[in-house]
């Protein structure tokens, strides 16, 4: 087994971020690279990854691949041996009530978001990652509050949270020293996915999007998500298995 990595310092380490081409994943990639990590960004769309590489520079390696494919998790964990893994990839749900969904649209987030979390977390446990490593899964506040216009999205995100908590327990039982943490961000218009959801719920309530956004309070940004993920990845103290995240900061989920 490899030597335990030192908490609090990512310089000289490698991070893998799925969904790194946009939204929260892009914000996380920037934060980890700024902290000195070499970031391997995974996404299906190479053009988006190229834009991130142009922004971050030599500390970013772009990998165009399907994060929900188990072969991707196995290959990249073996090749890069990361200190930090952040699972941000996910499908954009179809925004419509349940009666207008098909099973294919309803289950899309199970086939992408849940599959990704399962395959990467399973591989991290079985390999296992080096003691002192972190696996951080981005879930959603919808896992708590529900999301009636996004099909199976809320249930899928709740399952991402549960898988991560199960892994945290298994890591403790086997004394692997791997930190598994889920983060449940609030709905925000600051990402493409969030903006689509805001527009749909504003229309459902009969208000414009700006009015709906103001009713939510301060908007969470990708930069804030990146900062919170960095705090988790470098914390010298134990971190709660599941945490909510708003513009006011991160809080353990009771």
């Amino acid at each position: 087994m490899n030597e335990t990595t030192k908490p609090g310092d990512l310089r000289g380490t490698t991070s893998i971020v799925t969904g790194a081409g946009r939204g929260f994943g892009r914000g996380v990639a920037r934060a980890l690279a700024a902290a000195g990590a070499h970031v391997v960004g995974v996404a299906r769309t190479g053009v988006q990854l190229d834009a991130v590489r142009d922004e971050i520079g030599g500390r970013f390696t772009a990998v165009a691949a399907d994060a929900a494919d188990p072969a991707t998790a196995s290959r990249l964990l073996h090749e890069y041996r990361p200190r930090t893994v952040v699972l941000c990839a996910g499908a954009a749900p179809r925004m419509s009530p349940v009666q207008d969904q098909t099973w294919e649209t309803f289950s899309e987030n199970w086939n992408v978001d849940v599959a990704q979390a399962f395959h990467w977390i399973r591989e991290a446990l079985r390999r296992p990652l080096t003691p002192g490593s972190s696996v951080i899964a981005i879930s959603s506040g919808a896992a708590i509050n529900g999301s009636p216009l996004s099909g199976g999205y809320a249930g899928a995100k709740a399952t991402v949270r549960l898988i991560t908590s199960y892994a945290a327990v298994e890591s403790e039982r086997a004394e692997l020293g791997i930190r598994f943490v889920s983060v449940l961000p609030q709905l925000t218009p600051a990402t493409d996915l969030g903006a689509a959801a805001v527009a749909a719920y504003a229309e459902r309530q009969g208000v414009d999007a700006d009015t709906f956004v103001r009713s939510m309070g301060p908007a969470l940004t990708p930069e804030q998500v990146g900062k919170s993920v960095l705090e988790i990845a470098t914390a010298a103290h134990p971190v709660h298995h599941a945490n909510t995240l708003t513009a006011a900061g991160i809080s353990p989920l009771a």
Side-chain angles (χ1 to χ4, degrees):
M1 185 173 291
N2 294 329
E3 293 182 1
T4 302
T5 55
K6 181 181 179 180
D9 189 357
L10 296 185
R11 289 175 296 178
T13 70
T14 298
S15 299
I16 295 178
V17 180
T18 68
R22 60 182 180 176
F24 291 157
R26 189 167 183 164
V28 169
R30 286 196 296 255
L32 294 174
H38 183 88
V39 178
V40 178
V42 185
R44 292 182 179 181
T45 306
V47 173
Q48 292 178 336
L49 290 174
D50 290 342
V52 181
R53 182 173 54 200
D54 290 343
E55 178 184 359
I56 293 177
R59 285 184 176 167
F60 185 82
T61 297
V63 177
D66 180 1
D69 184 341
T72 299
S74 178
R75 174 172 64 88
L76 295 183
L77 290 180
H78 175 74
E79 180 175 354
Y80 290 103
R81 302 183 182 276
R83 149 79 183 269
T84 309
V85 177
V86 187
L87 304 176
C88 292
R94 174 177 172 177
M95 300 304 299
S96 58
V98 64
Q99 68 270 23
D100 294 332
Q101 300 271 350
T102 65
W103 176 246
E104 287 70 27
T105 62
F106 187 92
S107 62
E108 180 67 10
N109 293 105
W110 290 83
N111 295 325
V112 178
D113 304 46
V114 176
Q116 175 214 212
F118 174 80
H119 294 311
W120 285 84
I121 288 173
R122 177 178 182 267
E123 191 69 24
L125 286 169
R126 287 170 63 88
R127 187 161 293 276
L129 295 184
T130 302
S133 300
S134 297
V135 178
I136 303 166
I138 305 300
S139 175
S140 170
I144 304 169
N145 302 319
S147 183
L149 287 184
S150 60
Y153 178 83
K157 291 301 189 182
T159 302
V160 169
R161 171 201 162 193
L162 290 174
I163 292 172
T164 309
S165 293
Y166 298 160
V169 172
E170 293 304 313
S171 178
E172 291 168 2
R173 289 181 65 244
E175 299 182 349
L176 297 179
I178 306 169
R179 175 180 289 159
F180 289 90
V181 178
S182 63
V183 178
L184 286 65
Q186 71 178 128
L187 177 63
T188 175
T191 66
D192 292 342
L193 188 154
V198 163
Y201 282 105
E203 181 179 3
R204 183 181 178 95
Q205 293 184 13
V207 299
D208 61 67
D210 289 341
T211 299
F212 184 84
V213 168
R214 285 195 297 271
S215 72
M216 295 166 55
L220 180 67
T221 67
E223 289 71 26
Q224 289 171 315
V225 175
K227 178 182 177 182
S228 294
V229 166
L230 180 60
E231 289 174 355
I232 293 170
T234 58
H237 54 78
V239 179
H240 197 272
H241 296 173
N243 304 271
T244 59
L245 178 59
T246 69
I250 197 164
S251 300
L253 182 62

